[in-house]
Amino acid sequence: MSEPAVALEGATLRLGGRAILEDVSLGVARGEFVAVLGPNGVGKSTLVKVLLGVLPLSAGRAEVLGRPPGGAKGLIGYLPQRRSFDPGLRVRGVDVVRLGLDGDRWGLPLPGGSRWSRRGREANGRVEEVIDLVGAAGYAARPIGRLSGGEQQRLLIAQALARRPRMLLLDEPLDSLDLPNQASVAALIARICRDEQVTVLLVAHDVNPIVGYLDRVVYLGHGGAATGTPREVITGETLSRLYDTPIEVLTTSDGRLVVVGLPEAPAYHTDRHAL
């Protein structure tokens, strides 16, 4: 077997005396599309920060692409939780994508490098390539603040792809999008995973837009984790054992999954935008 993209063994992280992660062991194979699930406050974003090397483990071991967390930064494309752009922001979408090449992962520009130099021409070509890949060529030249949420998210995914990463860490990329945009962005991410052979770890509150594309899920709760295929993990039996409380998983008439009984609200895998 090839070396896993992510390997955790007995991973424990304590913050302020509270165990956010406790004795978590899991592996993610290269090229897999994996969702990290669970209600608010169980450590989904914390796990992403561990993998990025931002938060060190209190105990246990973690490897990312065969290296300690933080040692593979140049091989990871990271999309943090969705931020809104001011409608008056005049920066073009193409320039936001370019930040994925011209700055470090946090968006700070590197000195030097004219766009007319050989390096600049190569960068322009790569920016155009990833914009085409995410289907954003029709609006990339427009100000980012005037684009829809789905259009902005596609450009931010392009930014994360700019350096040809071997892994994407996406923290709630579907949050605040309407259902059609959730579906289209989920399909885009799945296609990138398959066609570009990029491992994808996607933090999600609602599994329904992505469940048909997933290889496996990681469901966090009470400091621990349950891992497996969606059919194996998203069951009343498995989640009741993880949370040590009775939990039901219901299937609606249109095939959506609803988890009932999780200890923290909001606790449903359903459309949070339809009220």
Side-chain angles (χ1 to χ4, degrees):
M1 292 180 62
S2 62
E3 190 174 54
V6 173
L8 297 180
E9 293 182 5
T12 297
L13 177 67
R14 295 185 178 89
L15 295 174
R18 177 190 171 203
I20 308 299
L21 303 173
E22 189 164 16
D23 197 27
V24 172
S25 296
L26 61 91
V28 175
R30 300 198 182 217
E32 279 193 316
F33 187 177
V34 177
V36 181
L37 306 171
N40 290 344
V42 296
K44 300 188 298 294
S45 296
T46 299
L47 176 60
V48 170
K49 292 176 182 177
V50 167
L51 299 180
L52 289 170
V54 175
L55 291 175
L57 290 174
S58 306
R61 185 181 70 87
E63 284 191 357
V64 181
L65 299 172
R67 307 178 188 188
K73 287 183 178 179
L75 304 175
I76 296 173
Y78 172 50
L79 182 60
Q81 289 188 6
R82 182 168 157 71
R83 59 191 183 275
S84 59
F85 291 96
D86 189 294
L89 184 63
R90 301 294 299 172
V91 176
R92 299 177 304 165
V94 65
D95 298 320
V96 172
V97 175
R98 175 97 186 206
L99 285 174
L101 286 174
D102 287 348
D104 67 11
R105 71 176 333 98
W106 313 117
L108 298 177
L110 295 173
S114 166
R115 71 173 53 212
W116 306 118
S117 67
R118 177 180 175 182
R119 178 182 174 187
R121 291 194 302 271
E122 290 175 351
N124 290 340
R126 179 57 181 167
V127 168
E128 183 178 342
E129 181 182 354
V130 293
I131 287 174
D132 286 341
L133 179 62
V134 302
Y139 46 81
R142 292 166 54 192
I144 190 78
R146 295 188 179 179
L147 300 179
S148 71
E151 291 168 342
Q152 291 176 0
Q153 203 69 329
R154 283 176 177 265
L155 288 165
L156 291 172
I157 292 171
Q159 183 193 73
L161 288 167
R163 294 189 181 183
R164 305 182 190 275
R166 289 160 57 187
M167 177 186 296
L168 287 177
L169 294 179
L170 310 176
D171 197 349
E172 304 242 17
L174 308 181
D175 195 41
S176 300
L177 300 181
D178 59 22
L179 285 177
N181 274 311
Q182 286 183 13
S184 64
V185 172
L188 168 66
I189 294 168
R191 177 169 59 83
I192 290 168
C193 177
R194 181 184 66 248
D195 295 350
E196 304 296 312
Q197 293 295 295
V198 175
T199 305
V200 176
L201 263 71
L202 183 152
V203 173
H205 189 93
D206 180 4
V207 72
N208 286 292
I210 55 175
V211 68
Y213 303 114
L214 295 173
D215 295 302
R216 290 186 307 122
V217 301
V218 176
Y219 219 114
L220 297 180
H222 282 187
T227 65
T229 66
R231 188 176 296 273
E232 291 169 341
V233 173
I234 308 176
T235 69
E237 179 182 359
T238 299
L239 296 183
S240 295
R241 186 167 59 248
L242 178 65
Y243 288 97
D244 195 28
T245 191
I247 290 173
E248 290 185 84
V249 178
L250 309 177
T251 304
T252 65
S253 59
D254 62 354
R256 296 176 68 80
L257 299 174
V258 182
V259 179
V260 180
L262 288 179
E264 293 197 36
Y268 297 96
H269 287 306
T270 128
D271 177 19
R272 292 185 290 153
H273 305 286
L275 298 178

